[in-house]
Amino acid sequence: MTLRALILAAVLMGGCATTPVTNRTQFMMISTDQEMSLGASEAQKVLKTSKLSTDKALQARVKRIGERIAAVSGRSDFAWEFNVIEDATPNAFCLPGGKVFFYTGILKIAENDDQIATVMGHEIAHALARHGAERLSMQTASNIGAQVLATALNIPAQYQNLYSQAYGITSQVGLILPYSRKFEHEADQIGIYLMWKAGYNPVQALRFWENMARLSRSAQKPPAFLSTHPADVERIAEIREYIAQLPIRQ
């Protein structure tokens, strides 16, 4: 009864939210205000510790594409910012509240504005769907679960830390990582919709991810089930399905 009560209390601490476009119900233990504050704080750290690109034309290009997608995001309350970081890593991210950062490495892979919009839509989708807050909520609930089960099973105190570590590994593979892959699929779907709504060509998303797949084949990657990102073939197939589901433009 104590175990059930503690788990129920952990669940009740959270609330429910719904993702845009996919309308998936989410478990949240982080408020929107907390999330926005975290995003603003982390953005300042990124700006202080990263070297921003001095290529004004590139900065303007990313900002133009970002603003066009932000305009159809339905989040006029976000303080949208778009920055390019001088870094060869093929990466981009969007912090809560609309702080978007592109690395020059990923811009070398994107062959045109539509492909940049593919990345932009995907990263903005993560922020719109509050994936960061959801992941943090699940991790918090997971940590509570580890402590509760260790107590309920009467595990000696000297072994509880070891158990918690083992539980963390189990929950990481069994819960957190699959949800990370779910978030990636969801961000792909929402991102495709956003770029289409903003007037970009979603077919170019296939070209971009094919380029990324070729890049990944030349590098070492963990098995798909241990990766936070879906397998390339799976991702491209699902994106093709998302594109087919889009309304026909008149």
Side-chain angles (χ1 to χ4, degrees):
M1 289 300 294
T2 301
L3 174 61
R4 290 178 181 175
L6 287 171
I7 292 176
L8 179 60
V11 172
L12 290 177
M13 285 170 61
C16 288
T18 304
T19 57
V21 181
T22 60
N23 295 314
R24 178 176 60 84
T25 301
Q26 301 169 286
F27 169 68
M28 288 290 179
M29 298 180 73
I30 309 297
S31 72
T32 301
D33 288 344
Q34 289 174 315
E35 187 184 17
M36 294 291 187
S37 178
L38 283 169
S41 176
E42 289 303 311
Q44 289 303 311
K45 292 179 184 177
V46 173
L47 290 171
K48 288 180 181 178
T49 58
S50 303
K51 179 185 177 183
L52 295 183
S53 172
T54 56
D55 187 333
K56 293 184 178 179
L58 188 62
Q59 289 274 13
R61 185 184 184 192
V62 170
K63 182 179 180 182
R64 170 173 49 80
I65 295 170
E67 288 179 343
R68 187 166 156 183
I69 292 180
V72 301
S73 70
R75 295 307 301 257
S76 57
D77 57 320
F78 276 19
W80 294 101
E81 292 180 14
F82 306 93
N83 289 286
V84 178
I85 296 174
E86 194 67 48
D87 191 311
T89 307
N91 194 25
F93 58 92
C94 179
L95 294 170
K99 314 298 184 184
V100 182
F101 295 87
F102 268 65
Y103 288 15
T104 51
I106 203 164
L107 291 169
K108 292 178 180 178
I109 299 171
E111 298 171 339
N112 50 49
D113 284 5
D114 294 299
Q115 292 187 19
I116 294 176
T118 297
V119 182
M120 185 70 71
H122 176 90
E123 297 306 331
I124 285 177
H126 277 306
L128 296 182
R130 301 186 63 199
H131 286 157
E134 188 175 2
R135 183 180 290 112
L136 185 55
S137 298
M138 289 189 298
Q139 189 64 64
T140 301
S142 175
N143 291 340
I144 292 172
Q147 296 168 12
V148 167
L149 287 176
T151 301
L153 295 174
N154 294 318
I155 295 175
Q158 64 267 35
Y159 296 118
Q160 285 192 12
N161 286 339
L162 182 61
Y163 172 79
S164 294
Q165 291 175 16
Y167 183 90
I169 294 172
T170 303
S171 65
Q172 190 76 357
V173 174
L175 173 64
I176 304 301
L177 286 179
Y179 261 90
S180 294
R181 292 192 292 274
K182 180 189 287 289
F183 294 159
E184 288 299 314
H185 284 301
E186 192 165 59
D188 283 342
Q189 184 173 0
I190 297 171
I192 292 295
Y193 176 75
L194 289 174
M195 69 178 295
W196 169 84
K197 192 174 181 182
Y200 290 101
N201 181 7
V203 174
Q204 286 297 318
L206 292 172
R207 308 289 178 266
F208 173 80
W209 288 112
E210 286 167 356
N211 292 343
M212 287 292 286
R214 282 192 290 272
L215 179 67
S216 69
R217 282 196 291 270
S218 64
Q220 291 184 342
K221 290 183 65 178
F225 77 98
L226 286 178
S227 172
T228 58
H229 287 65
D232 295 322
V233 174
E234 177 187 355
R235 171 175 240 154
I236 291 170
E238 291 204 356
I239 287 175
R240 199 179 302 276
E241 290 182 12
Y242 301 149
I243 294 172
Q245 294 168 13
L246 291 172
I248 298 174
R249 291 191 188 279
Q250 300 298 323

